Amino acid sequence: MISGYTRVGMVNEALGLFREMQKVGVEPDEVSLVSVISACAAAGALDIGRWIHAFIKRRMINMDLELSTSLVNMYAKCGCIEKAKEIFDEMPVKDSKAWSSMINAFAIHGLGGDAVEEYTRMEEAKVKYYRRVKPNHITFLGLLSACARGGLISEGRRFWSAMLELGIEPSLEHYGCMIDLLCRVGLVDEAFRFVETITVPADPAICRTLLLGCKKNGLLQQAQIVSNHLLKLEPLNPENYIIVANFYASASQWEMMSHVRKRMKETGIKTVPGCSSIEVGGLVHEFVRGGQSHPEAQEIKEFLKDAYVAIHDTGHKPIVSSELPNVGEEVKEDALYEHSERLAIAYGLLKTKAPAVIRIMKNLRLCEDSHEVAKFLSKIYKREIIVRDRFCLHKFFNGKCSCADYW
């Protein structure tokens, strides 16, 4: 049941069942603990994850490969890469899954160089433990993702060649990482040529990656071709329409953006609401855009009003290009203020005291303006703010982000 709740995202229910296990005297084993730790990783519930780690030590539960690897994954996804590495280094025996988890941990933190170094150590261990330590498709997925987030083009090409030499058939995810890397370093034309080498039809995820690459590099003509193809592939996915509409907005193509939004309305497609969560007091609090459903919504919004006065005083100009073009600037700014991640950050600042770290989980990609606002908030309130969105982990401190604005 705990595993089932975790798989469908019902984290509070999963953790509640674990507490119930303890109340009725059912002793958790390694399997149930892995499920609970996975729930903590999914929710970014570090405090509960730490408690479970301490529980394992206190009960002297056997830290097998699966359990140790789940702790590495949990700490990494909660923003504690140092702790993840500490647990990994303490593992007496490591298999391919453990090495791949550590490499992927560095990848989500944008530490491409560390991921490459870890792979070198894995290669050295492979000589001694070949059957147990052998790079697989997950290993290379982590490596290519790390290279993409770090803009490591020569390393990415090297790992792609190494993967083929090992006889590993690239999946669409591998192709997607390589295309993402090429787009991030500005080689969009090469990315388009690379798509032609894919042995199976390009999936929507690859089209979305290409579209974001076109947006970053201001390639309107190529973006239009990709947009049309994307909407044909997945005509009912709201995410596609949002990405396309946002591209046209960034290029000030308001007529095209309005056409996309009109098509959404006519088709009856509704967008997935932005949702962010934060763990406070052992409970995971969720916020959706607008924040009216939270019992302390009014207090949070009052706090944000004061915070935005301070942010404006520092010279921040809201990035409102993706909002509707036919409304005033103030309305656009108000819409930005209601983003779920800002409500969650505000709640964290209200309910915790320094030096406690604010840890946020978001189901969608962090928007450009929220990224800038989080920088300012980290500096104004002298707090470390970690936001893990659908694509990346951002660690904000003293007005800067760990991604170096490269996401």
Side-chain angles (χ1 to χ4, degrees):
M1 282 302 299
I2 292 172
S3 177
Y5 276 134
T6 301
R7 287 175 184 272
V8 298
M10 299 173 69
V11 178
N12 279 329
E13 289 79 0
L15 298 175
L17 273 184
F18 178 67
R19 296 187 187 100
E20 190 176 330
M21 279 180 71
Q22 295 175 285
K23 287 179 182 178
V24 299
V26 177
E27 196 70 20
D29 60 7
E30 291 89 342
V31 176
S32 57
L33 286 169
V34 166
S35 294
V36 178
I37 292 168
S38 297
C40 293
L46 178 63
D47 289 344
I48 302 173
R50 280 174 172 160
W51 184 90
I52 293 170
H53 189 189
F55 175 87
I56 292 168
K57 289 181 176 180
R58 191 167 59 251
R59 297 295 181 91
M60 292 185 290
I61 295 170
N62 178 39
M63 286 275 286
D64 62 11
L65 266 169
E66 194 75 20
L67 192 53
S68 297
T69 302
S70 68
L71 283 169
V72 169
N73 186 49
M74 184 274 293
Y75 277 114
K77 288 187 175 179
C78 289
C80 299
I81 189 65
E82 297 85 2
K83 187 65 178 178
K85 185 68 166 69
E86 178 187 317
I87 293 170
F88 177 76
D89 288 341
E90 289 175 353
M91 294 171 65
V93 179
K94 306 176 182 73
D95 62 359
S96 296
K97 185 176 180 181
W99 284 101
S100 298
S101 293
M102 194 65 240
I103 289 169
N104 190 61
F106 283 129
I108 64 174
H109 280 258
L111 301 171
D114 293 276
V116 172
E117 288 179 16
E118 204 62 59
Y119 178 71
T120 301
R121 286 188 280 271
M122 183 182 183
E123 286 282 273
E124 292 169 356
K126 186 181 73 173
V127 176
K128 188 176 182 181
Y129 305 105
Y130 181 72
R131 291 191 177 184
R132 187 182 290 274
V133 182
K134 185 179 179 182
N136 54 32
H137 69 286
I138 297 175
T139 311
F140 284 102
L141 194 58
L143 286 167
L144 292 172
S145 176
C147 291
R149 288 174 178 150
L152 306 177
I153 184 65
S154 60
E155 289 86 348
R157 284 174 169 150
R158 176 164 63 87
F159 289 131
W160 183 267
S161 297
M163 180 177 68
L164 296 179
E165 287 172 6
L166 287 171
I168 298 173
E169 185 71 25
S171 67
L172 281 170
E173 287 82 5
H174 291 107
Y175 280 107
C177 286
M178 199 63 194
I179 291 165
D180 187 23
L181 170 57
L182 292 168
C183 287
R184 284 175 187 256
V185 298
L187 301 174
V188 183
D189 289 337
E190 185 176 340
F192 273 90
R193 291 194 298 272
F194 192 77
V195 171
E196 296 174 0
T197 68
I198 300 177
T199 55
V200 293
D203 75 340
I206 287 177
C207 291
R208 286 189 286 268
T209 301
L210 282 171
L211 189 55
L212 290 172
C214 292
K215 178 182 177 182
K216 182 174 178 157
N217 294 277
L219 304 174
L220 179 60
Q221 187 174 358
Q222 292 95 320
Q224 287 178 321
I225 296 171
V226 176
S227 298
N228 292 335
H229 187 57
L230 176 60
L231 296 181
K232 284 181 181 177
L233 281 174
E234 274 189 343
L236 300 178
N237 186 344
E239 181 184 3
N240 297 337
Y241 290 88
I242 296 301
I243 292 174
V244 173
N246 285 347
F247 169 79
Y248 285 128
S250 68
S252 299
Q253 298 289 319
W254 304 117
E255 187 176 344
M256 294 298 294
M257 190 197 83
S258 297
H259 173 73
V260 173
R261 289 184 179 271
K262 182 181 178 183
R263 182 174 168 183
M264 283 183 69
K265 188 175 180 180
E266 291 174 348
T267 316
I269 296 172
K270 294 184 179 179
T271 58
V272 177
C275 179
S276 298
S277 63
I278 179 173
E279 178 201 12
V280 176
L283 289 175
V284 178
H285 298 258
E286 292 188 344
F287 297 86
V288 294
R289 181 165 177 162
Q292 297 299 331
S293 60
H294 197 275
E296 297 173 86
Q298 192 56 41
E299 183 183 359
I300 294 168
K301 290 195 173 183
E302 289 298 323
F303 178 86
L304 279 174
K305 284 182 182 178
D306 294 336
Y308 287 136
V309 171
I311 291 172
H312 279 296
D313 289 344
T314 62
H316 173 62
K317 300 293 183 183
I319 303 169
V320 297
S321 62
S322 62
E323 300 298 322
L324 289 171
N326 57 344
V327 298
E329 292 298 309
E330 288 187 13
V331 176
K332 291 181 183 180
E333 289 188 31
D334 287 343
L336 288 172
Y337 295 164
E338 295 182 346
H339 285 195
S340 64
E341 62 273 19
R342 305 186 191 201
L343 299 171
I345 292 172
Y347 188 73
L349 292 171
L350 272 170
K351 298 299 178 179
T352 65
K353 295 181 179 180
V357 178
I358 308 297
R359 302 176 192 276
I360 308 297
M361 299 288 297
K362 182 175 170 63
N363 66 330
L364 303 176
R365 186 178 188 272
L366 197 64
C367 79
E368 190 175 356
D369 191 68
S370 287
H371 191 267
E372 291 301 304
V373 166
K375 285 186 192 174
F376 282 106
L377 290 174
S378 72
K379 188 172 185 177
I380 293 168
Y381 293 96
K382 297 180 172 59
R383 300 286 289 276
E384 183 177 336
I385 300 171
I386 295 175
V387 180
R388 194 179 103 210
D389 68 10
R390 189 173 165 186
F391 299 94
C392 188
L393 187 145
H394 303 268
K395 189 178 289 188
F396 302 94
F397 186 70
N398 198 29
K400 296 180 180 179
C401 180
S402 60
C403 74
D405 300 339
Y406 197 78
W407 95 107

PDB file of all heavy atoms in Angstrom, residues 28 76 135 181 284:
ATOM      1  N   PRO A  28       8.886  -2.492  10.362  1.00  0.00           N
ATOM      2  CA  PRO A  28       9.195  -2.326   8.935  1.00  0.00           C
ATOM      3  C   PRO A  28      10.446  -3.085   8.537  1.00  0.00           C
ATOM      4  O   PRO A  28      11.401  -3.188   9.319  1.00  0.00           O
ATOM      5  CB  PRO A  28       9.398  -0.810   8.796  1.00  0.00           C
ATOM      6  CG  PRO A  28       9.823  -0.360  10.149  1.00  0.00           C
ATOM      7  CD  PRO A  28       9.116  -1.257  11.127  1.00  0.00           C
ATOM      8  N   ALA A  76      19.765  13.231  -2.617  1.00  0.00           N
ATOM      9  CA  ALA A  76      20.059  14.011  -3.822  1.00  0.00           C
ATOM     10  C   ALA A  76      18.846  14.804  -4.275  1.00  0.00           C
ATOM     11  O   ALA A  76      18.945  15.997  -4.583  1.00  0.00           O
ATOM     12  CB  ALA A  76      20.534  13.085  -4.937  1.00  0.00           C
ATOM     13  N   PRO A 135      28.570  -0.403 -16.869  1.00  0.00           N
ATOM     14  CA  PRO A 135      27.701   0.699 -17.313  1.00  0.00           C
ATOM     15  C   PRO A 135      26.547   0.185 -18.165  1.00  0.00           C
ATOM     16  O   PRO A 135      26.742  -0.682 -19.019  1.00  0.00           O
ATOM     17  CB  PRO A 135      28.643   1.582 -18.135  1.00  0.00           C
ATOM     18  CG  PRO A 135      30.010   1.228 -17.655  1.00  0.00           C
ATOM     19  CD  PRO A 135      29.957  -0.223 -17.285  1.00  0.00           C
ATOM     20  N   LEU A 181      21.532  18.718 -25.247  1.00  0.00           N
ATOM     21  CA  LEU A 181      22.903  19.233 -25.141  1.00  0.00           C
ATOM     22  C   LEU A 181      23.255  20.121 -26.328  1.00  0.00           C
ATOM     23  O   LEU A 181      23.781  21.241 -26.159  1.00  0.00           O
ATOM     24  CB  LEU A 181      23.879  18.057 -25.038  1.00  0.00           C
ATOM     25  CG  LEU A 181      25.379  18.370 -25.150  1.00  0.00           C
ATOM     26  CD1 LEU A 181      25.817  19.382 -24.107  1.00  0.00           C
ATOM     27  CD2 LEU A 181      26.193  17.083 -25.019  1.00  0.00           C
ATOM     28  N   VAL A 284       3.402  17.558   4.385  1.00  0.00           N
ATOM     29  CA  VAL A 284       3.666  18.127   3.070  1.00  0.00           C
ATOM     30  C   VAL A 284       2.488  19.035   2.697  1.00  0.00           C
ATOM     31  O   VAL A 284       1.359  18.584   2.568  1.00  0.00           O
ATOM     32  CB  VAL A 284       3.853  17.021   2.010  1.00  0.00           C
ATOM     33  CG1 VAL A 284       4.082  17.643   0.637  1.00  0.00           C
ATOM     34  CG2 VAL A 284       5.028  16.124   2.385  1.00  0.00           C
TER      35      VAL A 284
END
